[in-house]
Amino acid sequence: MTSTTPPEIAAHVESLIPQFTLARLLNQDQAGRRISLLGTISSQPAILLAERAAFATDTPHLTSFPTSLSAIKNLGANDIYSWFLAHTTTSPSQPPDLKLNLIYPCTEKHIKKYSVQGLRCVTETPEIYARHIRPYMQAQRDQGRLNWVLNILEGRTEQEDVIYREPGAEGFLLLPDLNWDRKTVGGLHLLGLVERRDLWSVRDLRKRDVQWLRHMRGKLVSATVGLYPEIEEDQVKLYVHYQPTYYHFHVHIVHVGLEAGGTQATGKALGLDNIISQLETMQGDDEAGMADVSLSYHLGEQSELWEKIYLPLKEGRDVEI
């Protein structure tokens, strides 16, 4: 970006940055991507705001990007997924400034998920769920999309990352989400995976599960604050995704100060406390559940759910899973 500041003024203000003397950190937000520092320049108070710059998107920079990284350190690997910390600087004494996720080999579904695309709001009625979405979920599970989850549950991978495990048929385990750098407390993001294989999504929860859900919620929160004592219980929030990325019921545990991006937005995230309350007050016997309500959410126009189900329904065509 070209500066419009007169050269003499630009030279003066540029000379101020090296003179900044730190007093204390004021704030760290955007999951650690932006910091606010209080200090002095020539004995006068000053605030310095620093934010990671946007990535260059021209082809030469993108081509050289993977080879420009240094001190790449793997944080974990499971099936086709692996994640790392890395430097874009040549000084290994500086902390890593990039968190990397690698999906290899990726599928066409991954490519569509991470591509720029328009969004659509849809309402999934109980009828649409039973007739179209449930068979779609079954097809996804039959394709081996849960291998990485089963690897964790069955003790083949990532066991050193498991923070807490509740054994038994209705047990669950807690581990860091692959999108967290595992050090920025304000960006805390953990994952609770249930042992139960009959729960594919929030749709499978019933009134009879309320007591179990409350028990699990309490254990997840207490384990989180026990491991990270700088966080209190009312600084943690729990939610589930619908539609989820994969069809095995799991809970996201994040710091309440984590800035809400698309994954926490209305139309994607459902608060666990709200789900429990909805189940508890739902009419009907213990078999009544979330499969009996309509749920609204947004979809990318390149997603399979939109292309294979909701677009045909909108256009009056037959749905083919």
Side-chain angles (χ1 to χ4, degrees):
M1 181 181 295
T2 302
S3 174
T4 58
T5 309
E8 65 278 8
I9 296 177
H12 169 67
V13 295
E14 288 170 1
S15 71
L16 297 177
I17 300 297
Q19 300 178 49
F20 183 88
T21 301
L22 176 69
R24 61 186 174 91
L25 173 70
L26 292 177
N27 194 13
Q28 182 183 50
D29 54 10
Q30 288 192 344
R33 295 190 297 272
R34 184 171 60 203
I35 56 175
S36 306
L37 305 176
L38 176 65
T40 58
I41 298 176
S42 300
S43 301
Q44 296 295 311
I47 292 176
L48 179 62
L49 309 176
E51 184 173 350
R52 299 188 193 279
F55 289 99
T57 57
D58 57 284
T59 300
H61 276 97
L62 295 179
T63 301
S64 62
F65 173 72
T67 56
S68 69
L69 301 173
S70 63
I72 300 173
K73 179 181 179 181
N74 178 250
L75 293 176
N78 186 344
D79 196 48
I80 63 174
Y81 304 97
S82 49
W83 43 103
F84 315 80
L85 292 177
H87 290 76
T88 56
T89 65
T90 57
S91 175
S93 62
Q94 297 295 320
D97 57 351
L98 276 187
K99 168 73 164 47
L100 306 174
N101 293 344
L102 176 65
I103 306 173
Y104 173 77
C106 70
T107 65
E108 184 63 27
K109 186 175 182 179
H110 290 118
I111 295 172
K112 290 182 176 181
K113 176 181 176 180
Y114 291 104
S115 297
V116 176
Q117 57 189 296
L119 295 176
R120 300 284 180 154
C121 289
V122 300
T123 297
E124 182 182 298
T125 64
E127 293 75 23
I128 291 176
Y129 169 70
R131 186 173 181 182
H132 304 300
I133 302 299
R134 184 73 178 185
Y136 174 82
M137 291 181 176
Q138 180 70 67
Q140 299 304 300
R141 288 169 61 91
D142 291 345
Q143 292 174 17
R145 300 285 174 82
L146 294 178
N147 287 345
W148 73 274
V149 177
L150 299 178
N151 285 340
I152 299 173
L153 294 176
E154 296 173 3
R156 291 189 290 269
T157 60
E158 296 188 57
Q159 297 310 290
E160 66 281 0
D161 292 330
V162 174
I163 300 169
Y164 177 86
R165 183 187 291 271
E166 179 94 352
E170 294 190 343
F172 49 87
L173 56 84
L174 181 67
L175 72 164
D177 185 89
L178 61 84
N179 289 310
W180 184 41
D181 64 9
R182 307 191 186 196
K183 62 178 183 178
T184 309
V185 174
L188 176 82
H189 192 162
L190 306 177
L191 198 64
L193 293 175
V194 303
E195 294 279 5
R196 290 174 59 177
R197 310 303 167 89
D198 61 321
L199 299 181
W200 297 4
S201 75
V202 67
R203 285 292 200 182
D204 289 310
L205 295 177
R206 301 178 186 274
K207 288 175 68 73
R208 67 184 183 211
D209 295 313
V210 167
Q211 184 176 354
W212 170 71
L213 288 169
R214 288 193 182 280
H215 170 75
M216 179 174 66
R217 183 199 182 282
K219 290 290 189 177
L220 291 175
V221 172
S222 62
T224 299
V225 300
L227 188 65
Y228 305 99
E230 57 268 61
I231 301 176
E232 298 181 23
E233 290 192 5
D234 55 3
Q235 292 179 304
V236 177
K237 65 179 177 180
L238 295 82
Y239 62 87
V240 302
H241 284 149
Y242 197 78
Q243 288 277 330
T245 303
Y246 51 93
Y247 295 112
H248 180 95
F249 186 69
H250 55 284
V251 180
H252 294 264
I253 304 97
V254 302
H255 192 286
V256 71
L258 179 63
E259 294 188 25
T263 62
Q264 294 188 54
T266 300
K268 180 65 176 178
L270 302 172
L272 182 60
D273 288 331
N274 292 338
I275 294 170
I276 294 172
S277 178
Q278 185 172 2
L279 287 169
E280 201 168 34
T281 58
M282 187 176 289
Q283 293 184 352
D285 59 20
D286 281 352
E287 293 303 308
M290 296 299 291
D292 305 321
V293 302
S294 293
L295 294 175
S296 296
Y297 50 90
H298 59 250
L299 290 173
E301 291 178 342
Q302 294 186 43
S303 69
E304 288 185 347
L305 283 174
W306 174 255
E307 292 181 338
K308 292 185 175 182
I309 298 176
Y310 285 100
L311 182 58
L313 287 175
K314 179 180 179 179
E315 296 178 345
R317 296 187 282 114
D318 291 336
V319 174
E320 298 181 6
I321 305 299

